[in-house]
Amino acid sequence: MSPNTDFRDATRVKAQLAAITPVAERVAARLGRPLQIMEVCGGHTHAIFRFGLHQLLPESIEFIHGPGCPVCVLPVDAVDQAVSLARQQNVILASFGDPLRVPGSRGSLLQAKAEGAEVKVLYSPYDALALANANPHKQVVFFAIGFDTTMPGTACSLLAADRAGIGNLRFICHHIRLMPTLTGLLEAGEVQLDGFIGPGHVSMVIGRRVYAPIAHHYHKPLVIAGFEPVDFLQALYQLVQQLDQGRCEIENAYARVVADAGNPAALKAMKQAFESGIDGHWRGLGRVLGSGVRIRTQYQHLDATELLATLEPVRAADEPVWCNGVLTGRIKPHQCPLFRRQCTPEHPVGALMVSSEGACAAYHQYRPEEVGSEQ
Ligand code: SF4
């Protein structure tokens, strides 16, 4: 199948919608309210709006947008530290493109770059090795962010830098694990959820089986989905069927990419490079038990934590409270009074308006009729 044709085939999409609708309506009638389904990943939020699925699906299905956008959860103080580091003499701050526009309390990395800081956009953490080799008299720091999806790339690059004995490369790691984030959300119990559409990219790394506690302990079904309309609707169909039949299982509707046990090589590299189970503090989510990682002590020479300790201390800035509501599914983006008023992609107040996976960016791009209510 070609992703741009068969997985977007209108006939198949119509058949899937015809299959989903009566099942969803039956379950919603039994519950006396719409089904509350969380699509964990911001990539799915964008797919729903980009392909107009929200207009085609029945009102008996309500999507609750989940926290799975790594740029959106990047803490303000992490951005501030990266900006401070980038402004140091002889430092090259390397990063993926998305975090550059995330506002911190001292501006963004992009602003620091405009003011003369050496900030480089890389497509892969591996490129940081070449950058370090090409600039032996400078300290290169890679600003590593992301869920389990990007963690293997950082891990492999860090291990490769260690093997190659590169002395002028370090990593700042703000990686976040998905499973502790989901269980933290369920433990908080602030949002009524009937089931999850599981993220395809993260699951490619961590696999299907790892989600078992979501079904067994929290009694929520989850179906892993791809990002094309046919993929997404197949997962949604399986999910509403589970709800209709009173089943609660972890299913995989993206088996061409996701294996039950995940990617063993990626998981091995992550385990080798990082210590897991570290409590993390994330923008919008607050403290999430066991969601963070840190570089293992044997690779301390590649850890930028020491460099950060030499900088002027960063005072944690206030984050817009609305971002927290959107990230935890308690409000929709247009229910934030700043939406499309003070907060736009050109002048973002919160990270959800910046990231290509942010829910606010999706609403801004695909729902031009929505404007935040005046305060
Ligand atoms: S519109 Fe801006 S301030 Fe409001 S929730 Fe979205 S990103 Fe945060």
Side-chain angles (χ1 to χ4, degrees):
M1 277 197 181
S2 146
N4 291 329
T5 54
D6 298 330
F7 288 110
R8 296 180 185 179
D9 180 79
T11 308
R12 294 187 71 188
V13 167
K14 278 182 195 159
Q16 289 175 308
L17 290 165
I20 289 167
T21 300
V23 184
E25 308 240 295
R26 191 160 59 234
V27 182
R30 276 206 304 267
L31 294 172
R33 58 165 175 80
L35 300 181
Q36 309 261 90
I37 292 176
M38 176 173 275
E39 85 282 6
V40 174
C41 176
H44 281 142
T45 308
H46 277 254
I48 289 166
F49 292 113
R50 181 178 171 210
F51 296 113
L53 301 180
H54 63 299
Q55 293 167 327
L56 300 171
L57 284 161
E59 288 182 2
S60 50
I61 295 178
E62 183 186 349
F63 288 108
I64 308 294
H65 313 311
C69 162
V71 173
C72 303
V73 298
L74 191 59
V76 174
D77 52 352
V79 177
D80 287 347
Q81 283 182 331
V83 167
S84 297
L85 204 52
R87 287 185 172 139
Q88 301 295 303
Q89 287 285 321
N90 280 327
V91 168
I92 301 177
L93 198 290
S95 165
F96 295 128
D98 256 10
L100 260 62
R101 295 183 58 237
V102 177
S105 62
R106 302 170 180 183
S108 65
L109 280 168
L110 200 60
Q111 283 165 327
K113 183 177 168 67
E115 288 159 13
E118 268 202 89
V119 177
K120 302 271 185 205
V121 175
L122 303 184
Y123 290 106
S124 157
Y126 264 117
D127 294 342
L129 277 67
L131 190 64
N133 281 328
N135 294 276
H137 303 301
K138 295 200 172 175
Q139 175 68 63
V140 175
V141 180
F142 184 73
F143 188 46
I145 72 153
F147 279 90
D148 312 63
T149 326
T150 52
M151 219 178 292
T154 307
C156 290
S157 305
L158 188 142
L159 297 172
D162 179 59
R163 282 194 303 272
I166 298 176
N168 63 326
L169 173 61
R170 294 188 185 222
F171 295 79
I172 306 177
C173 282
H174 288 290
H175 284 300
I176 170 169
R177 307 294 310 262
L178 181 74
M179 266 304 282
T181 308
L182 282 188
T183 54
L185 202 72
L186 287 164
E187 286 290 339
E190 289 175 345
V191 188
Q192 185 169 45
L193 293 175
D194 296 306
F196 290 97
I197 294 291
H201 295 151
V202 168
S203 305
M204 178 183 68
V205 174
I206 64 176
R208 180 192 64 87
R209 284 187 213 135
V210 74
Y211 294 108
I214 303 276
H216 298 152
H217 184 73
Y218 296 99
H219 311 294
K220 305 288 179 199
L222 180 148
V223 184
I224 298 164
F227 296 87
E228 295 294 331
V230 168
D231 286 321
F232 185 84
L233 292 174
Q234 174 61 32
L236 188 59
Y237 177 61
Q238 290 180 217
L239 191 61
V240 295
Q241 270 199 318
Q242 283 203 47
L243 293 169
D244 188 36
Q245 295 163 7
R247 290 185 291 117
C248 185
E249 294 166 17
I250 306 300
E251 294 182 331
N252 182 7
Y254 199 29
R256 71 179 188 280
V257 170
V258 175
D260 268 9
N263 181 325
L267 293 169
K268 186 178 168 198
M270 286 158 67
K271 196 169 173 188
Q272 201 178 336
F274 300 123
E275 194 181 327
S276 299
I278 311 299
D279 292 350
H281 194 280
W282 308 101
R283 188 188 293 233
L285 299 176
R287 184 163 169 261
V288 182
L289 294 178
S291 59
V293 297
R294 71 173 153 234
I295 294 171
R296 288 194 182 275
T297 46
Q298 70 203 83
Y299 304 113
Q300 215 168 7
H301 53 289
L302 293 161
D303 190 340
T305 308
E306 244 176 51
L307 293 180
L308 297 175
T310 64
L311 301 174
E312 190 191 325
V314 173
R315 191 184 67 80
D318 291 337
E319 301 165 344
V321 292
W322 308 102
C323 300
N324 171 282
V326 176
L327 268 171
T328 51
R330 284 182 284 115
I331 61 167
K332 298 281 196 297
H334 63 285
Q335 291 168 319
C336 166
L338 309 187
F339 178 75
R340 216 190 288 276
R341 291 182 187 277
Q342 292 97 323
C343 188
T344 62
E346 293 75 30
H347 300 286
V349 176
L352 290 89
M353 191 56 94
V354 174
S355 167
S356 58
E357 294 191 1
C360 297
Y363 271 59
H364 192 277
Q365 188 171 358
Y366 299 112
R367 300 186 63 158
E369 72 283 5
E370 309 280 13
V371 181
S373 54
E374 284 191 76
Q375 278 180 302

